[in-house]
mmCIF file of all heavy atoms in Angstrom:
data_model
loop_
_atom_site.group_PDB
_atom_site.id
_atom_site.type_symbol
_atom_site.label_atom_id
_atom_site.label_comp_id
_atom_site.label_asym_id
_atom_site.label_seq_id
_atom_site.Cartn_x
_atom_site.Cartn_y
_atom_site.Cartn_z
ATOM 1 N N LYS A 1 0.817 -1.212 0.000
ATOM 2 C CA LYS A 1 0.000 0.000 0.000
ATOM 3 C C LYS A 1 0.851 1.262 0.000
ATOM 4 O O LYS A 1 0.532 2.232 -0.708
ATOM 5 C CB LYS A 1 -0.953 0.007 1.195
ATOM 6 C CG LYS A 1 -1.868 1.231 1.241
ATOM 7 C CD LYS A 1 -2.901 1.136 2.329
ATOM 8 C CE LYS A 1 -2.349 1.385 3.703
ATOM 9 N NZ LYS A 1 -1.964 2.800 3.923
ATOM 10 N N ASP A 2 1.924 1.270 0.771
ATOM 11 C CA ASP A 2 2.752 2.469 0.830
ATOM 12 C C ASP A 2 3.402 2.772 -0.520
ATOM 13 O O ASP A 2 3.425 3.914 -0.972
ATOM 14 C CB ASP A 2 3.827 2.316 1.906
ATOM 15 C CG ASP A 2 3.245 2.320 3.308
ATOM 16 O OD1 ASP A 2 2.151 2.885 3.489
ATOM 17 O OD2 ASP A 2 3.879 1.761 4.212
ATOM 18 N N THR A 3 3.920 1.753 -1.174
ATOM 19 C CA THR A 3 4.545 1.957 -2.479
ATOM 20 C C THR A 3 3.523 2.432 -3.500
ATOM 21 O O THR A 3 3.795 3.343 -4.299
ATOM 22 C CB THR A 3 5.200 0.655 -2.976
ATOM 23 O OG1 THR A 3 6.173 0.224 -2.029
ATOM 24 C CG2 THR A 3 5.875 0.862 -4.316
ATOM 25 N N ALA A 4 2.339 1.818 -3.485
ATOM 26 C CA ALA A 4 1.321 2.157 -4.480
ATOM 27 C C ALA A 4 0.736 3.546 -4.274
ATOM 28 O O ALA A 4 0.355 4.209 -5.256
ATOM 29 C CB ALA A 4 0.200 1.112 -4.438
ATOM 30 N N CYS A 5 0.673 4.017 -3.024
ATOM 31 C CA CYS A 5 -0.142 5.198 -2.739
ATOM 32 C C CYS A 5 0.574 6.384 -2.106
ATOM 33 O O CYS A 5 0.034 7.500 -2.125
ATOM 34 C CB CYS A 5 -1.305 4.795 -1.827
ATOM 35 S SG CYS A 5 -2.362 3.495 -2.480
ATOM 36 N N THR A 6 1.750 6.199 -1.502
ATOM 37 C CA THR A 6 2.325 7.249 -0.666
ATOM 38 C C THR A 6 2.527 8.570 -1.402
ATOM 39 O O THR A 6 2.222 9.644 -0.861
ATOM 40 C CB THR A 6 3.655 6.782 -0.045
ATOM 41 O OG1 THR A 6 3.372 5.782 0.941
ATOM 42 C CG2 THR A 6 4.377 7.939 0.631
ATOM 43 N N ARG A 7 3.044 8.543 -2.623
ATOM 44 C CA ARG A 7 3.288 9.811 -3.335
ATOM 45 C C ARG A 7 1.991 10.594 -3.523
ATOM 46 O O ARG A 7 1.953 11.814 -3.325
ATOM 47 C CB ARG A 7 3.944 9.540 -4.685
ATOM 48 C CG ARG A 7 5.368 9.000 -4.586
ATOM 49 C CD ARG A 7 5.973 8.798 -5.966
ATOM 50 N NE ARG A 7 7.260 8.129 -5.892
ATOM 51 C CZ ARG A 7 8.424 8.731 -5.680
ATOM 52 N NH1 ARG A 7 8.452 10.044 -5.510
ATOM 53 N NH2 ARG A 7 9.552 8.042 -5.633
ATOM 54 N N PHE A 8 0.925 9.897 -3.899
ATOM 55 C CA PHE A 8 -0.353 10.576 -4.097
ATOM 56 C C PHE A 8 -0.960 11.000 -2.759
ATOM 57 O O PHE A 8 -1.510 12.091 -2.642
ATOM 58 C CB PHE A 8 -1.318 9.650 -4.843
ATOM 59 C CG PHE A 8 -0.861 9.282 -6.216
ATOM 60 C CD1 PHE A 8 -0.297 8.044 -6.465
ATOM 61 C CD2 PHE A 8 -0.973 10.183 -7.265
ATOM 62 C CE1 PHE A 8 0.152 7.700 -7.726
ATOM 63 C CE2 PHE A 8 -0.540 9.846 -8.529
ATOM 64 C CZ PHE A 8 0.029 8.610 -8.776
ATOM 65 N N THR A 9 -0.843 10.147 -1.761
ATOM 66 C CA THR A 9 -1.381 10.473 -0.444
ATOM 67 C C THR A 9 -0.716 11.723 0.125
ATOM 68 O O THR A 9 -1.395 12.637 0.630
ATOM 69 C CB THR A 9 -1.191 9.287 0.521
ATOM 70 O OG1 THR A 9 -2.008 8.199 0.072
ATOM 71 C CG2 THR A 9 -1.576 9.659 1.941
ATOM 72 N N GLU A 10 0.598 11.785 0.055
ATOM 73 C CA GLU A 10 1.300 12.954 0.583
ATOM 74 C C GLU A 10 0.908 14.229 -0.159
ATOM 75 O O GLU A 10 0.757 15.295 0.446
ATOM 76 C CB GLU A 10 2.805 12.729 0.513
ATOM 77 C CG GLU A 10 3.289 11.682 1.523
ATOM 78 C CD GLU A 10 4.788 11.455 1.468
ATOM 79 O OE1 GLU A 10 5.425 11.932 0.499
ATOM 80 O OE2 GLU A 10 5.319 10.802 2.388
ATOM 81 N N ALA A 11 0.723 14.126 -1.476
ATOM 82 C CA ALA A 11 0.299 15.297 -2.243
ATOM 83 C C ALA A 11 -1.095 15.746 -1.820
ATOM 84 O O ALA A 11 -1.354 16.951 -1.659
ATOM 85 C CB ALA A 11 0.326 14.974 -3.741
ATOM 86 N N LEU A 12 -2.011 14.798 -1.618
ATOM 87 C CA LEU A 12 -3.369 15.145 -1.189
ATOM 88 C C LEU A 12 -3.366 15.784 0.196
ATOM 89 O O LEU A 12 -4.074 16.778 0.435
ATOM 90 C CB LEU A 12 -4.246 13.892 -1.176
ATOM 91 C CG LEU A 12 -4.674 13.336 -2.534
ATOM 92 C CD1 LEU A 12 -5.329 11.965 -2.365
ATOM 93 C CD2 LEU A 12 -5.629 14.289 -3.232
ATOM 94 N N LEU A 13 -2.579 15.232 1.108
ATOM 95 C CA LEU A 13 -2.538 15.786 2.458
ATOM 96 C C LEU A 13 -1.947 17.196 2.466
ATOM 97 O O LEU A 13 -2.400 18.074 3.208
ATOM 98 C CB LEU A 13 -1.734 14.863 3.378
ATOM 99 C CG LEU A 13 -2.309 13.456 3.590
ATOM 100 C CD1 LEU A 13 -1.428 12.663 4.554
ATOM 101 C CD2 LEU A 13 -3.734 13.517 4.095
ATOM 102 N N GLU A 14 -0.939 17.391 1.645
ATOM 103 C CA GLU A 14 -0.326 18.726 1.572
ATOM 104 C C GLU A 14 -1.291 19.729 0.956
ATOM 105 O O GLU A 14 -1.412 20.872 1.433
ATOM 106 C CB GLU A 14 0.961 18.651 0.763
ATOM 107 C CG GLU A 14 1.793 19.927 0.845
ATOM 108 C CD GLU A 14 3.194 19.738 0.295
ATOM 109 O OE1 GLU A 14 3.510 18.631 -0.192
ATOM 110 O OE2 GLU A 14 3.969 20.706 0.359
ATOM 111 N N LEU A 15 -1.998 19.332 -0.105
ATOM 112 C CA LEU A 15 -2.974 20.225 -0.730
ATOM 113 C C LEU A 15 -4.102 20.594 0.235
ATOM 114 O O LEU A 15 -4.665 21.687 0.154
ATOM 115 C CB LEU A 15 -3.566 19.562 -1.974
ATOM 116 C CG LEU A 15 -2.662 19.515 -3.205
ATOM 117 C CD1 LEU A 15 -3.267 18.621 -4.282
ATOM 118 C CD2 LEU A 15 -2.440 20.925 -3.755
ATOM 119 N N ALA A 16 -4.399 19.671 1.147
ATOM 120 C CA ALA A 16 -5.454 19.927 2.143
ATOM 121 C C ALA A 16 -4.951 20.759 3.317
ATOM 122 O O ALA A 16 -5.718 21.064 4.234
ATOM 123 C CB ALA A 16 -6.021 18.604 2.655
ATOM 124 N N GLY A 17 -3.669 21.109 3.295
ATOM 125 C CA GLY A 17 -3.110 21.927 4.365
ATOM 126 C C GLY A 17 -2.803 21.155 5.625
ATOM 127 O O GLY A 17 -2.741 21.736 6.716
ATOM 128 N N THR A 18 -2.589 19.839 5.505
ATOM 129 C CA THR A 18 -2.276 19.024 6.669
ATOM 130 C C THR A 18 -0.856 18.471 6.535
ATOM 131 O O THR A 18 -0.220 18.586 5.495
ATOM 132 C CB THR A 18 -3.270 17.857 6.816
ATOM 133 O OG1 THR A 18 -3.081 16.924 5.744
ATOM 134 C CG2 THR A 18 -4.708 18.367 6.783
ATOM 135 N N ASP A 19 -0.383 17.852 7.598
ATOM 136 C CA ASP A 19 0.964 17.291 7.624
ATOM 137 C C ASP A 19 1.011 16.061 6.707
ATOM 138 O O ASP A 19 0.325 15.068 6.965
ATOM 139 C CB ASP A 19 1.316 16.888 9.060
ATOM 140 C CG ASP A 19 2.734 16.348 9.201
ATOM 141 O OD1 ASP A 19 3.384 16.089 8.170
ATOM 142 O OD2 ASP A 19 3.185 16.168 10.346
ATOM 143 N N PRO A 20 1.803 16.098 5.633
ATOM 144 C CA PRO A 20 1.827 14.961 4.693
ATOM 145 C C PRO A 20 2.404 13.679 5.281
ATOM 146 O O PRO A 20 2.217 12.607 4.700
ATOM 147 C CB PRO A 20 2.703 15.479 3.541
ATOM 148 C CG PRO A 20 3.535 16.560 4.140
ATOM 149 C CD PRO A 20 2.681 17.200 5.188
ATOM 150 N N SER A 21 3.077 13.768 6.421
ATOM 151 C CA SER A 21 3.660 12.564 7.021
ATOM 152 C C SER A 21 2.799 11.974 8.133
ATOM 153 O O SER A 21 3.105 10.897 8.646
ATOM 154 C CB SER A 21 5.057 12.869 7.577
ATOM 155 O OG SER A 21 4.975 13.781 8.659
ATOM 156 N N GLU A 22 1.715 12.648 8.505
ATOM 157 C CA GLU A 22 0.881 12.178 9.617
ATOM 158 C C GLU A 22 -0.326 11.405 9.087
ATOM 159 O O GLU A 22 -0.990 11.829 8.153
ATOM 160 C CB GLU A 22 0.397 13.355 10.465
ATOM 161 C CG GLU A 22 -0.532 12.966 11.619
ATOM 162 C CD GLU A 22 0.102 11.939 12.541
ATOM 163 O OE1 GLU A 22 1.202 12.210 13.082
ATOM 164 O OE2 GLU A 22 -0.483 10.857 12.704
ATOM 165 N N ARG A 23 -0.578 10.252 9.674
ATOM 166 C CA ARG A 23 -1.713 9.423 9.283
ATOM 167 C C ARG A 23 -2.663 9.196 10.468
ATOM 168 O O ARG A 23 -3.832 9.532 10.406
ATOM 169 C CB ARG A 23 -1.231 8.051 8.771
ATOM 170 C CG ARG A 23 -0.249 8.113 7.608
ATOM 171 C CD ARG A 23 -0.878 8.545 6.311
ATOM 172 N NE ARG A 23 0.034 8.340 5.202
ATOM 173 C CZ ARG A 23 0.971 9.196 4.816
ATOM 174 N NH1 ARG A 23 1.127 10.334 5.495
ATOM 175 N NH2 ARG A 23 1.749 8.952 3.779
ATOM 176 N N ASP A 24 -2.149 8.637 11.550
ATOM 177 C CA ASP A 24 -2.999 8.209 12.663
ATOM 178 C C ASP A 24 -3.813 9.356 13.261
ATOM 179 O O ASP A 24 -4.967 9.157 13.650
ATOM 180 C CB ASP A 24 -2.153 7.558 13.762
ATOM 181 C CG ASP A 24 -1.460 6.290 13.282
ATOM 182 O OD1 ASP A 24 -1.948 5.679 12.312
ATOM 183 O OD2 ASP A 24 -0.430 5.911 13.875
ATOM 184 N N LEU A 25 -3.218 10.531 13.354
ATOM 185 C CA LEU A 25 -3.885 11.672 13.999
ATOM 186 C C LEU A 25 -4.323 12.735 12.997
ATOM 187 O O LEU A 25 -4.528 13.885 13.366
ATOM 188 C CB LEU A 25 -2.948 12.293 15.049
ATOM 189 C CG LEU A 25 -2.473 11.345 16.155
ATOM 190 C CD1 LEU A 25 -1.551 12.071 17.125
ATOM 191 C CD2 LEU A 25 -3.649 10.724 16.890
ATOM 192 N N ASN A 26 -4.467 12.349 11.745
ATOM 193 C CA ASN A 26 -4.853 13.286 10.688
ATOM 194 C C ASN A 26 -6.301 13.013 10.281
ATOM 195 O O ASN A 26 -6.571 12.063 9.549
ATOM 196 C CB ASN A 26 -3.923 13.122 9.481
ATOM 197 C CG ASN A 26 -4.138 14.202 8.432
ATOM 198 O OD1 ASN A 26 -5.249 14.682 8.243
ATOM 199 N ND2 ASN A 26 -3.066 14.567 7.750
ATOM 200 N N PRO A 27 -7.257 13.842 10.737
ATOM 201 C CA PRO A 27 -8.673 13.583 10.426
ATOM 202 C C PRO A 27 -8.955 13.558 8.920
ATOM 203 O O PRO A 27 -9.791 12.765 8.467
ATOM 204 C CB PRO A 27 -9.410 14.745 11.106
ATOM 205 C CG PRO A 27 -8.480 15.200 12.184
ATOM 206 C CD PRO A 27 -7.101 15.002 11.637
ATOM 207 N N TYR A 28 -8.270 14.410 8.156
ATOM 208 C CA TYR A 28 -8.506 14.424 6.710
ATOM 209 C C TYR A 28 -8.074 13.108 6.075
ATOM 210 O O TYR A 28 -8.782 12.543 5.232
ATOM 211 C CB TYR A 28 -7.757 15.595 6.067
ATOM 212 C CG TYR A 28 -7.943 15.655 4.563
ATOM 213 C CD1 TYR A 28 -9.153 16.074 4.015
ATOM 214 C CD2 TYR A 28 -6.913 15.277 3.699
ATOM 215 C CE1 TYR A 28 -9.332 16.112 2.642
ATOM 216 C CE2 TYR A 28 -7.087 15.314 2.326
ATOM 217 C CZ TYR A 28 -8.299 15.731 1.805
ATOM 218 O OH TYR A 28 -8.472 15.762 0.441
ATOM 219 N N TYR A 29 -6.916 12.606 6.481
ATOM 220 C CA TYR A 29 -6.465 11.320 5.957
ATOM 221 C C TYR A 29 -7.455 10.218 6.330
ATOM 222 O O TYR A 29 -7.841 9.398 5.488
ATOM 223 C CB TYR A 29 -5.085 10.973 6.509
ATOM 224 C CG TYR A 29 -4.650 9.560 6.165
ATOM 225 C CD1 TYR A 29 -4.172 9.256 4.901
ATOM 226 C CD2 TYR A 29 -4.749 8.538 7.111
ATOM 227 C CE1 TYR A 29 -3.802 7.955 4.577
ATOM 228 C CE2 TYR A 29 -4.376 7.243 6.799
ATOM 229 C CZ TYR A 29 -3.903 6.954 5.532
ATOM 230 O OH TYR A 29 -3.553 5.660 5.218
#
């Protein structure tokens, strides 16, 4: 999952104004 999705996930989190490295405590993620 990380290989398939991380680049896109980090871009989405950054565009949403959230920490691109945070998952567990990121409500948007």
Side-chain angles (χ1 to χ4, degrees):
K1 181 173 76 70
D2 291 335
T3 301
C5 303
T6 290
R7 292 182 187 275
F8 297 102
T9 293
E10 289 180 348
L12 287 170
L13 297 181
E14 190 168 2
L15 285 170
T18 68
D19 183 349
S21 66
E22 178 56 57
R23 303 289 191 275
D24 297 337
L25 302 180
N26 188 327
Y28 179 73
Y29 172 78

